[in-house]
Amino acid sequence: GSYNDIRDKMNAAIASGELPALVVGYQNDQAFYQQANALVDLNAYVNSATWGLSEEEIADFYPGFWAQDVHPAYDNQRLAIPPNRSMTVMYYNVEWLQDLGYDAPPETWAEFKEVACAASDPDNGIYGYSHYDSASNLASMVFGLGGNIITEDQSAYTFNTPEAIEALTILKDLATEGCGIVAAEAYGNQADFANRRALFTFGSSSGLPYYESDVNESEQGPFEWTVTAFPHAEGGERVVDVYGASILMPRTTDEKQLAAWLFLKWFTSPEIQGRWVEISGYFPTRASSVDYIQD
């Protein structure tokens, strides 16, 4: 099921007391479950002299990913371990872009709108951009425009900033000018892209294998496509939103928790991460995992 299904099952498990050994969840899930004191602080396992991780193993995790599951609100408890991450990217049809006379994807939002409108033919159901609602897509737009979606002290959301308003205005203008369309169903933007009804879409890098299969099986046959970073503000920097769910350990028994930790330690080891990357389409959280995904 979806992450929403997992949340429902985990909340029911907290209520019944019949908790699983491990559960997948985002950082907000971790904080919510720990309000009921349902999770184990993994610092004790990470730092265990017998079962823990060495300094070298900890340093092998990319620092930004390693820090994401540590919660200042809970006295810096580590409520999860990161097995993989993904990032929001812009998918685009290379052949179509070249047919329009462009040799590179748009860098700025002004360029994006120009190309999207040049590609659009609303009367025939063809648009430069197919949209679906995603917190990560909105965040990526705001980040690329130089803004943020939360205050510096992380006490409140900031959806009323000039950058957030500009992001939503860009989407509104694309729609009202016939250069973009809202996908009719979940992952409909992916289908629009595969069937050449949309030049651009935004989505997770974990969608790469799904895009590949859809394009290869599309009605009009496969075409050349790839991904790049989101457009950004004029004079700004290329920015991507990197995020992902981690693996949490609910409170069960000492024996089950140790077994769960040993599995988690194995699952996030470099060689196994290499296999997981190949299977899942995510990318690894440890630097040395690259040695196992060269092919």
Side-chain angles (χ1 to χ4, degrees), residues 204-247:
S204 168
S205 57
S206 61
L208 283 164
Y210 303 103
Y211 271 80
E212 182 178 36
S213 62
D214 281 6
V215 168
N216 290 341
E217 297 170 8
S218 66
E219 302 163 357
Q220 303 180 49
F223 54 85
E224 183 183 354
W225 60 279
T226 190
V227 299
T228 188
F230 271 51
H232 54 75
E234 194 76 43
E237 296 181 312
R238 290 158 61 89
V239 178
V240 292
D241 177 26
V242 181
Y243 63 97
S246 295
I247 303 181

Side-chain angles (χ1 to χ4, degrees), residues 157-199:
Y157 290 106
T158 55
F159 294 129
N160 59 344
T161 61
E163 296 84 4
I165 293 169
E166 183 179 357
L168 294 169
T169 302
I170 288 169
L171 295 175
K172 177 180 179 294
D173 289 347
L174 287 168
T176 57
E177 296 177 28
C179 304
I181 189 173
V182 177
E185 56 189 7
Y187 303 111
N189 63 321
Q190 184 175 304
D192 289 340
F193 182 83
N195 292 305
R196 307 193 197 201
R197 295 193 296 266
L199 171 60

Side-chain angles (χ1 to χ4, degrees), residues 45-109:
Y45 290 96
V46 170
N47 299 320
S48 167
T50 304
W51 307 110
L53 298 173
S54 67
E55 291 183 7
E56 292 76 14
E57 287 173 316
I58 294 173
D60 192 38
F61 283 88
Y62 294 109
F65 302 161
W66 185 246
Q68 283 179 320
D69 299 311
V70 176
H71 291 256
Y74 292 112
D75 195 27
N76 292 321
Q77 292 183 58
R78 167 168 292 284
L79 299 182
I81 297 289
N84 49 248
R85 287 293 179 262
S86 60
M87 62 182 170
T88 45
V89 292
M90 179 171 73
Y91 289 81
Y92 69 96
N93 183 323
V94 176
E95 296 177 15
W96 190 352
L97 192 68
Q98 292 173 344
D99 289 343
L100 292 170
Y102 299 93
D103 56 7
E107 288 279 341
T108 67
W109 283 109

